[in-house]
Amino acid sequence: PPRRLKISTAFIPAEQIVKIVFADNGPGVPRAIRSRIFEPFYTSKPMGIGTGIGLPFSYGVITSHGGRIELDLSETEGACFAIMLPLAAMESSLVNGSLPKETGLKSQSILIVDDEVDLVEMLGEMLAAMGHRINIAAIGNEALRRLSERDYDVILSDLKMPDLDGPSLYRRLQQSHPHLIERMIFISGDTFRMGADEFLARTGRPLLEKPFIPREVIEVVNRVLSQAESPAGGHGVDGAAMPGDVGSAPIA
């Protein structure tokens, strides 16, 4: 101690690559495990301390963006990882800070169920920019309360929550509001979790993986809206605005 983390960035014009380097002053990565650090579920930490999904998840995210991550052995001490990401032209609508608003679908009511505030705000802003009305439930039981008061056209629910997780919420709705399960979309950054793949395959519900790509979020939501046989629409049972409805403006 004190523990230190150094983050440095550089642009490599010749390769049109952005390089981001993370280096710490810890003990480094032992030679014996260097070839295995990106393997899912492999961890050198004691039982119950490490999951072995951090680096594999990072590897998956980075490679899905056309980049690569490497253990940099040029440093004399600590662990050092270098991320290389290709420079890519962004779509003009995203460069200008806006999302396309012509979807062919009218404004709908959407419930986001997740205990991660930053994630909820980001999702809410994406969908509110499309003109949808957004409600939030921080936990599964709060979502059940809201759903007992009104219907929603789309329900975005995290798979992993503290009091009532996504699969449990799905099963409860199967019993109490079976028409709503076809409107569910699950979100997760931990699909390695045992049982998640089996649950998603069995239910056939779509999954949005973190970190989110705005256009993918919009495509999945629009697909569920298009497939809904009887969209709820409106605000509440009688059309009045419900408490917690943030309207079509971005979440503050």
Side-chain angles (χ1 to χ4, degrees), residues 114-172:
D114 200 298
D115 59 338
E116 295 184 51
V117 177
D118 291 343
L119 178 144
V120 169
E121 289 182 351
M122 179 175 64
L123 271 179
E125 288 176 1
M126 288 181 196
L127 297 168
M130 303 300 295
H132 297 306
R133 301 179 300 279
I134 312 301
N135 276 180
I136 297 166
I139 55 177
N141 280 318
E142 182 184 351
L144 284 178
R145 179 183 63 78
R146 285 188 173 277
L147 291 164
S148 69
E149 297 171 350
R150 60 170 294 182
D151 274 1
Y152 287 88
D153 300 292
V154 175
I155 303 164
L156 287 149
S157 173
D158 194 11
L159 277 173
K160 187 176 181 180
M161 292 181 289
D163 71 328
L164 187 73
D165 62 12
S168 298
L169 177 61
Y170 180 92
R171 287 189 287 269
R172 294 282 290 273

Side-chain angles (χ1 to χ4, degrees), residues 211-235:
F212 301 116
I213 299 173
R215 193 162 296 280
E216 289 182 359
V217 172
I218 293 165
E219 287 175 356
V220 171
V221 168
N222 285 346
R223 185 165 72 245
V224 170
L225 286 171
S226 298
Q227 293 171 349
E229 294 181 358
S230 54
H235 284 34

Side-chain angles (χ1 to χ4, degrees), residues 2-23:
R3 298 180 178 183
R4 293 190 178 91
L5 177 65
K6 178 183 178 182
I7 304 172
S8 57
T9 62
F11 173 54
I12 306 173
E15 300 178 55
Q16 289 291 287
I17 284 176
V18 173
K19 184 176 182 179
I20 311 166
V21 178
F22 297 82

